[in-house]
Amino acid sequence: PPRVPAVPAAAGGDLSPLTLLLTLAYFVPLLGAARRDLCYRGALWAAAATCLLSLSRSWPLSMATLKDARLWKCDDMQRLPLLLLLSLFPPLPFILVPPAAYALHHSLSRAHARSLLTKLPAAVRERAIWVLGEEGTHTTLAFAAISDLMVGLTAPFLAVSHGLRIVPPLLLHLKYVAKSHATSWYMQTAVETVRLKLDSLFHHRRCPAPVSAAYVRCAGLAASAARLLAA
């Protein structure tokens, strides 16, 4: 892994507490069940605004910037349209996990910079400082990557449960995961971890041969689809 990993949208972290609050209000319906969908969309909008703010602070507004391939390949630019599109469709709860993980890291970082962590109980303060350290940052990025991957792996089941209307954002998310796999050590590690687990399951000596063969076929199709989406 990179020695000092960068958490996406760090430059726009001022809005991170809002993302966290709305995510919490969705999973724990503090504002009532009737407002859960609004909290879900609000969390996505806040996360999108964080990406946009980060981009505006990290890249100068110029034609040269728009022509820079690095802009279009950075995580903030890749995730921004995905977040906006997802807000137009039925909730996919797990999709909030990566933005919330980033938002927690950004919020703690800003609280630490303002010496606010010193007011927390010792045990909570130590855990918060650990999150901001190298190991904690690696863990945050790895957790976000595996969460993104799990949404991708469950895409067929989500399409069946939600219907064809959910297919456009799922395809965009799969494209995001495929592109992330090409550049992110964390996504590569998440994919390899899942692949090894599935290999050990479907290549087990007690696994029926037709099931193993079907798994190999599906894995090949998935790899081909990932290469197509990443292109």
Side-chain angles (χ1 to χ4, degrees):
R3 181 165 180 76
V4 183
V7 177
D14 297 343
L15 298 174
S16 294
L18 179 59
T19 303
L20 273 179
L21 180 63
L22 289 169
T23 301
L24 177 63
Y26 173 74
F27 285 108
V28 182
L30 302 174
L31 303 179
R35 296 184 178 87
R36 286 192 72 202
D37 283 2
L38 181 60
C39 292
Y40 171 83
R41 287 172 173 78
L44 291 175
W45 293 334
T50 299
C51 291
L52 187 60
L53 182 59
S54 179
L55 287 168
S56 68
R57 290 176 172 175
S58 303
W59 296 85
L61 184 59
S62 65
M63 289 302 297
T65 296
L66 295 177
K67 295 177 182 179
D68 195 329
R70 293 173 300 171
L71 170 67
W72 304 99
K73 292 180 180 179
C74 74
D75 189 87
D76 293 342
M77 182 59 81
Q78 294 283 338
R79 192 178 287 272
L80 177 59
L82 174 62
L83 293 168
L84 293 174
L85 182 62
L86 284 166
S87 69
L88 303 176
F89 290 85
L92 300 174
F94 221 65
I95 210 75
L96 292 176
V97 175
Y102 299 150
L104 176 61
H105 194 282
H106 298 326
S107 298
L108 291 175
S109 178
R110 277 158 174 72
H112 185 50
R114 296 179 175 91
S115 300
L116 297 179
L117 295 184
T118 58
K119 300 178 181 179
L120 297 175
V124 178
R125 182 172 64 252
E126 290 177 6
R127 179 55 60 178
I129 292 175
W130 176 85
V131 170
L132 296 176
E134 186 173 327
E135 184 179 356
T137 303
H138 281 310
T139 302
T140 298
L141 294 170
F143 180 65
I146 195 67
S147 300
D148 275 326
L149 178 61
M150 293 311 297
V151 174
L153 292 176
T154 58
F157 306 100
L158 293 171
V160 170
S161 61
H162 289 278
L164 293 178
R165 59 181 178 171
I166 204 67
V167 169
L170 286 177
L171 286 176
L172 187 59
H173 181 77
L174 287 170
K175 187 174 183 65
Y176 169 81
V177 170
K179 286 183 173 294
S180 180
H181 181 263
T183 59
S184 170
W185 179 88
Y186 299 97
M187 184 61 72
Q188 294 166 7
T189 302
V191 170
E192 183 65 12
T193 300
V194 172
R195 186 190 67 80
L196 290 175
K197 291 291 185 182
L198 292 176
D199 282 354
S200 65
L201 176 64
F202 288 101
H203 292 317
H204 194 273
R205 60 186 177 84
R206 294 184 179 178
C207 182
V211 176
S212 295
Y215 165 71
V216 171
R217 178 63 175 168
C218 290
L221 291 174
S224 299
R227 287 192 294 269
L228 182 63
L229 288 169

Coordinates of all heavy atoms in Angstrom, one line a residue, residues 123-165:
A123 N -10.5 6.9 26.1 CA -10.6 5.8 25.2 C -11.1 6.2 23.8 O -10.6 5.7 22.8 CB -11.6 4.8 25.9
V124 N -12.1 7.1 23.8 CA -12.6 7.5 22.5 C -11.6 8.3 21.7 O -11.4 8.2 20.5 CB -13.9 8.3 22.7 CG1 -14.4 8.9 21.3 CG2 -15.0 7.5 23.4
R125 N -10.8 9.2 22.5 CA -9.8 10.0 21.8 C -8.7 9.1 21.2 O -8.2 9.4 20.1 CB -9.2 10.9 22.9 CG -8.1 11.9 22.3 CD -7.7 12.9 23.3 NE -7.1 12.4 24.5 CZ -7.6 12.3 25.7 NH1 -8.9 12.8 25.9 NH2 -7.0 11.8 26.7
E126 N -8.3 8.1 22.0 CA -7.2 7.2 21.5 C -7.7 6.5 20.2 O -6.9 6.3 19.3 CB -6.8 6.2 22.5 CG -6.1 6.8 23.7 CD -5.8 5.7 24.8 OE1 -6.1 4.6 24.6 OE2 -5.3 6.1 25.9
R127 N -8.9 6.0 20.2 CA -9.5 5.4 19.0 C -9.5 6.3 17.8 O -9.2 6.0 16.7 CB -10.8 4.8 19.3 CG -11.5 4.1 18.1 CD -10.6 3.0 17.5 NE -10.3 2.0 18.5 CZ -9.6 0.9 18.2 NH1 -9.1 0.7 17.0 NH2 -9.3 0.0 19.1
A128 N -9.9 7.6 18.1 CA -10.0 8.6 17.0 C -8.7 8.9 16.4 O -8.5 9.0 15.2 CB -10.7 9.9 17.5
I129 N -7.7 9.0 17.3 CA -6.3 9.3 16.8 C -5.8 8.1 16.0 O -5.0 8.3 15.0 CB -5.4 9.6 18.0 CG1 -5.8 11.0 18.6 CG2 -3.9 9.7 17.6 CD1 -5.1 11.3 19.9
W130 N -6.1 6.9 16.4 CA -5.7 5.7 15.7 C -6.3 5.7 14.3 O -5.6 5.4 13.3 CB -6.2 4.4 16.4 CG -5.9 3.2 15.6 CD1 -4.7 2.5 15.6 CD2 -6.7 2.5 14.7 NE1 -4.8 1.4 14.8 CE2 -6.0 1.4 14.2 CE3 -8.0 2.7 14.3 CZ2 -6.5 0.5 13.3 CZ3 -8.6 1.8 13.3 CH2 -7.8 0.8 12.8
V131 N -7.6 6.1 14.1 CA -8.2 6.2 12.8 C -7.4 7.2 11.9 O -7.3 6.9 10.7 CB -9.7 6.7 12.9 CG1 -10.2 7.0 11.6 CG2 -10.5 5.6 13.6
L132 N -6.9 8.3 12.5 CA -6.2 9.3 11.7 C -4.7 8.8 11.4 O -4.1 9.5 10.5 CB -6.2 10.6 12.5 CG -7.5 11.2 12.7 CD1 -7.4 12.5 13.5 CD2 -8.2 11.5 11.3
G133 N -4.2 7.8 12.1 CA -2.9 7.4 11.9 C -2.8 6.6 10.6 O -3.8 6.3 9.9
E134 N -1.6 6.1 10.3 CA -1.3 5.4 9.0 C -2.2 4.1 9.0 O -2.8 3.8 8.0 CB 0.2 5.0 8.9 CG 0.5 4.4 7.6 CD 2.0 4.3 7.4 OE1 2.8 5.1 7.9 OE2 2.4 3.3 6.7
E135 N -2.2 3.3 10.0 CA -2.9 2.0 10.1 C -4.4 2.3 9.9 O -5.1 1.6 9.2 CB -2.6 1.3 11.3 CG -3.3 -0.1 11.4 CD -2.9 -0.9 12.6 OE1 -2.1 -0.4 13.4 OE2 -3.5 -2.0 12.8
G136 N -4.9 3.3 10.7 CA -6.3 3.6 10.6 C -6.8 4.1 9.3 O -7.9 3.8 8.8
T137 N -5.9 4.9 8.6 CA -6.2 5.4 7.3 C -6.3 4.3 6.3 O -7.1 4.2 5.4 CB -5.2 6.5 6.9 OG1 -5.2 7.5 7.8 CG2 -5.6 7.1 5.5
H138 N -5.3 3.4 6.4 CA -5.3 2.2 5.5 C -6.6 1.4 5.7 O -7.3 0.9 4.8 CB -4.1 1.3 5.8 CG -2.8 1.7 5.2 ND1 -2.7 2.0 3.9 CD2 -1.6 1.9 5.8 CE1 -1.4 2.4 3.7 NE2 -0.8 2.3 4.8
T139 N -7.0 1.2 7.0 CA -8.2 0.5 7.3 C -9.5 1.2 6.7 O -10.4 0.5 6.2 CB -8.4 0.3 8.8 OG1 -7.2 -0.3 9.3 CG2 -9.6 -0.5 9.1
T140 N -9.5 2.5 6.8 CA -10.7 3.3 6.2 C -10.8 3.0 4.7 O -11.9 2.8 4.2 CB -10.5 4.8 6.5 OG1 -10.5 5.0 7.9 CG2 -11.6 5.6 5.9
L141 N -9.6 3.1 4.0 CA -9.7 3.0 2.6 C -10.0 1.5 2.2 O -10.7 1.3 1.2 CB -8.3 3.4 2.0 CG -8.0 4.9 2.2 CD1 -6.6 5.2 1.8 CD2 -9.0 5.7 1.3
A142 N -9.5 0.6 2.9 CA -9.7 -0.8 2.6 C -11.2 -1.1 2.9 O -11.8 -1.9 2.1 CB -8.8 -1.7 3.5
F143 N -11.8 -0.6 4.0 CA -13.2 -0.8 4.3 C -14.1 -0.2 3.2 O -15.1 -0.8 2.8 CB -13.5 -0.2 5.6 CG -14.9 -0.4 6.1 CD1 -15.4 -1.7 6.3 CD2 -15.8 0.7 6.2 CE1 -16.8 -1.8 6.7 CE2 -17.1 0.6 6.6 CZ -17.6 -0.7 6.9
A144 N -13.7 1.0 2.7 CA -14.5 1.6 1.6 C -14.4 0.8 0.4 O -15.4 0.6 -0.3 CB -14.0 3.0 1.4
A145 N -13.2 0.3 0.1 CA -13.1 -0.5 -1.2 C -13.9 -1.8 -1.1 O -14.6 -2.1 -2.1 CB -11.6 -0.8 -1.4
I146 N -13.8 -2.5 0.0 CA -14.6 -3.8 0.1 C -16.1 -3.5 0.0 O -16.9 -4.3 -0.5 CB -14.2 -4.6 1.3 CG1 -14.7 -6.0 1.2 CG2 -14.7 -3.9 2.6 CD1 -14.0 -6.8 0.2
S147 N -16.5 -2.4 0.6 CA -17.9 -2.0 0.5 C -18.4 -1.7 -0.9 O -19.4 -2.2 -1.3 CB -18.2 -0.8 1.4 OG -17.8 -1.0 2.8
D148 N -17.6 -1.0 -1.6 CA -17.9 -0.7 -3.1 C -17.9 -2.0 -3.8 O -18.8 -2.2 -4.7 CB -16.8 0.2 -3.7 CG -17.1 1.7 -3.4 OD1 -18.3 2.0 -3.4 OD2 -16.2 2.5 -3.3
L149 N -17.0 -2.9 -3.5 CA -16.9 -4.2 -4.2 C -18.2 -5.0 -3.9 O -18.7 -5.7 -4.8 CB -15.7 -5.0 -3.9 CG -15.5 -6.3 -4.5 CD1 -15.5 -6.3 -6.0 CD2 -14.2 -7.0 -4.0
M150 N -18.6 -5.1 -2.7 CA -19.8 -5.9 -2.3 C -21.0 -5.4 -3.0 O -21.9 -6.2 -3.4 CB -20.0 -5.8 -0.8 CG -18.9 -6.5 0.0 SD -18.5 -8.2 -0.6 CE -20.0 -9.0 -0.3
V151 N -21.2 -4.1 -3.2 CA -22.3 -3.6 -4.0 C -22.2 -4.1 -5.4 O -23.3 -4.5 -6.0 CB -22.3 -2.0 -4.0 CG1 -23.4 -1.5 -4.9 CG2 -22.6 -1.5 -2.6
G152 N -21.0 -4.1 -6.0 CA -20.9 -4.6 -7.3 C -21.2 -6.1 -7.4 O -21.9 -6.6 -8.4
L153 N -20.7 -6.9 -6.4 CA -21.0 -8.3 -6.4 C -22.5 -8.7 -6.3 O -22.9 -9.7 -6.8 CB -20.2 -9.0 -5.3 CG -18.6 -9.0 -5.5 CD1 -17.9 -9.6 -4.3 CD2 -18.2 -9.8 -6.8
T154 N -23.2 -7.9 -5.6 CA -24.6 -8.1 -5.3 C -25.5 -7.4 -6.4 O -26.7 -7.5 -6.2 CB -25.0 -7.6 -3.9 OG1 -24.7 -6.2 -3.8 CG2 -24.3 -8.4 -2.8
A155 N -24.9 -6.8 -7.4 CA -25.6 -6.1 -8.4 C -26.7 -6.9 -9.1 O -27.9 -6.5 -9.2 CB -24.7 -5.5 -9.5
P156 N -26.5 -8.2 -9.4 CA -27.5 -9.0 -10.0 C -28.7 -9.2 -9.1 O -29.9 -9.1 -9.6 CB -26.9 -10.4 -10.3 CG -25.4 -10.0 -10.4 CD -25.2 -8.9 -9.4
F157 N -28.5 -9.4 -7.8 CA -29.6 -9.6 -6.9 C -30.3 -8.3 -6.6 O -31.5 -8.3 -6.5 CB -29.0 -10.1 -5.5 CG -28.2 -11.4 -5.7 CD1 -26.8 -11.3 -5.7 CD2 -28.8 -12.6 -5.8 CE1 -26.0 -12.5 -5.8 CE2 -28.0 -13.8 -6.0 CZ -26.7 -13.7 -6.0
L158 N -29.6 -7.2 -6.6 CA -30.2 -5.9 -6.5 C -31.1 -5.6 -7.7 O -32.2 -5.0 -7.5 CB -29.2 -4.8 -6.3 CG -28.4 -4.9 -5.0 CD1 -27.2 -3.8 -5.1 CD2 -29.3 -4.6 -3.8
A159 N -30.7 -6.0 -8.9 CA -31.5 -5.7 -10.1 C -32.7 -6.6 -10.1 O -33.8 -6.1 -10.5 CB -30.6 -6.1 -11.3
V160 N -32.7 -7.8 -9.5 CA -33.8 -8.6 -9.4 C -34.8 -8.1 -8.4 O -36.0 -8.0 -8.6 CB -33.4 -10.1 -9.1 CG1 -34.7 -10.9 -8.7 CG2 -32.7 -10.7 -10.2
S161 N -34.3 -7.6 -7.3 CA -35.2 -7.1 -6.2 C -35.8 -5.8 -6.5 O -36.9 -5.5 -6.1 CB -34.4 -7.1 -4.9 OG -33.3 -6.2 -5.0
H162 N -35.0 -4.9 -7.2 CA -35.5 -3.5 -7.5 C -36.1 -3.4 -8.9 O -36.8 -2.4 -9.1 CB -34.4 -2.5 -7.3 CG -34.0 -2.3 -5.8 ND1 -34.7 -1.5 -5.0 CD2 -33.0 -2.8 -5.1 CE1 -34.1 -1.5 -3.8 NE2 -33.1 -2.3 -3.8
G163 N -35.8 -4.3 -9.7 CA -36.3 -4.2 -11.1 C -35.3 -3.5 -12.0 O -34.3 -3.0 -11.6
L164 N -35.7 -3.4 -13.3 CA -34.8 -2.8 -14.3 C -34.5 -1.3 -14.0 O -33.5 -0.8 -14.5 CB -35.5 -2.9 -15.7 CG -35.6 -4.4 -16.2 CD1 -36.3 -4.4 -17.6 CD2 -34.2 -5.0 -16.3
R165 N -35.3 -0.6 -13.2 CA -35.1 0.8 -13.0 C -33.8 1.1 -12.3 O -33.3 2.2 -12.3 CB -36.3 1.4 -12.2 CG -36.5 0.7 -10.9 CD -37.7 1.3 -10.1 NE -37.9 0.6 -8.8 CZ -38.8 1.0 -7.9 NH1 -39.5 2.1 -8.1 NH2 -38.9 0.4 -6.8

